[in-house]
Every structure is written in C-alpha cells, then in structure tokens.
Amino acid sequence: NRMLFLQIESDEGIEALEEILTRFAPTLAGILVGPYDLSIMSGVPMEMRHPQLLARIRHIFEVCAQHRMSCGIFVDRAEDLALWRDLGANVFWTGTELSLYLESVTRLCEQFAVLGKGE
C-alpha cells in the first residue's frame, strides 16, 4: 500500500493549501510541514519557535483540521513533540535513525557534564 503526503515548505504552498485540499483530499493521506525550509522561506531561518513561523504552521494545521485531513511535521528533537502536537499535528517523522541515536548520545553526555560539575 502507498500513502501520499504533500509537504508544505513555502508561503506559496500555504496559499495553495485550501485549493489542494478541496480538489485532492480523497487521494491524500495527509499534509506535512517541512519546518526548517519553511523557516527559511519565512525569513526566520532555523528559528523553530519564532512567532512568525509558529503562526504559519498553526494556520496549516487549522486548514487541515477544517478539511479533516491528517497533518504532521518533521521532528528532530523530542522536546518539540508536545509543541507540534499542541499546535495540531497528528503525524510525526524524523530523518534517520542516526539523528535519534545522536540525540540520545548528546543527552547522555549532557548528564555526564552535570554530574561532573557536582563533584
């Protein structure tokens, strides 16, 4: 089986979203947001919590909710899951197993550093 998701990464994509969902919703499994590319296209590169970016992402999720369409976002940090879920995402994906591994190693090293300061 195959599932078709469209990824939104620009203002042009946001502007076309309503029409896309109106015309093609039956063939789509959902809409995905590429937050890093969208941040660049929004003029706030890599600022994942910038109000301007969050407003765009919230709008995408709201339009999807109005059309009863699943929507999701790329997640590379576990602490961002709650933010995206609270904004309306119900689909999450990450790049690779390597990014998950690196996140775990980074957290482990941070804990070692905290313990080292206490001695």
Side-chain angles (χ1 to χ4, degrees):
N1 292 334
R2 291 187 171 91
M3 297 171 52
L4 178 61
F5 287 85
L6 295 182
Q7 189 162 329
I8 304 293
E9 298 182 326
S10 67
D11 284 342
E12 292 82 4
I14 294 171
E15 290 169 16
L17 182 58
E18 185 76 40
E19 181 179 352
I20 289 168
L21 292 177
T22 299
R23 293 180 61 193
F24 302 107
T27 61
L28 297 175
I31 299 295
L32 301 174
V33 175
Y36 288 104
D37 289 334
L38 185 58
S39 75
I40 293 167
M41 297 299 287
S42 299
V44 291
M46 314 310 272
E47 294 184 45
M48 294 297 102
R49 295 183 186 257
H50 192 285
Q52 187 173 320
L53 177 64
L54 293 177
R56 284 177 167 83
I57 293 170
R58 182 179 294 111
H59 174 74
I60 293 167
F61 292 163
E62 288 171 354
V63 171
C64 288
Q66 291 167 2
H67 286 266
R68 303 178 66 89
M69 177 65 59
S70 287
C71 58
I73 193 161
F74 176 79
V75 178
D76 60 350
R77 297 177 335 142
E79 58 267 21
D80 289 340
L81 281 171
L83 169 66
W84 302 135
R85 184 206 56 218
D86 292 346
L87 287 177
N90 64 354
V91 176
F92 306 94
W93 89 98
T94 189
T96 65
E97 294 83 1
L98 179 59
S99 64
L100 296 174
Y101 171 76
L102 290 174
E103 181 179 350
S104 294
V105 170
T106 299
R107 286 186 179 194
L108 183 63
C109 291
E110 289 169 351
Q111 288 303 308
F112 279 124
V114 169
L115 289 174
K117 290 178 184 176
E119 294 181 337

